[in-house]
Amino acid sequence: MNPFEFAVIGAGWRTDFFLQAAATLPQMQVCGVVSRNETRGQEVESEWGVPCFASIDKLMQSVRPSFVIASVSAEAMPQVCIE
């Protein structure tokens, strides 16, 4: 069975839970993370081995996830959903 690929918007502490789940479940694979903070994006890439993108547009130009998880604060959620 091929793993299903998903992407995560946000690179904060919430995202680590999804990255941990994907690392332990062979049927899940993270194909990208959106991080607007370049330093944090580099940390995620180094620690988890997944590509990071500076925007949702750049993510979607590079990968085709089966679904996307918005993993951001409540304040940021409305704008992320619109994007």
Side-chain angles (χ1 to χ4, degrees), residues 5 9-10 12 18 20 35 39-40 46 50 52-54 59 61 63 68-69 71 80:
E5 293 186 328
I9 300 170
F18 297 107
Q20 285 175 328
S35 176
T39 301
R40 177 61 180 145
S46 176
V50 299
C52 284
F53 303 90
L59 169 85
Q61 289 171 5
V63 297
V68 177
I69 297 171
S71 181
V80 166

Side-chain angles (χ1 to χ4, degrees), residues 17-39:
F17 293 111
F18 297 107
L19 295 171
Q20 285 175 328
T24 60
L25 298 170
Q27 66 270 31
M28 297 173 63
Q29 182 175 344
V30 180
C31 61
V33 172
V34 174
S35 176
R36 294 187 179 145
N37 179 306
E38 185 177 344
T39 301

Side-chain angles (χ1 to χ4, degrees), residues 14 71-78 80:
R14 296 169 186 85
S71 181
V72 296
S73 67
E75 295 81 22
M77 190 64 73
V80 166

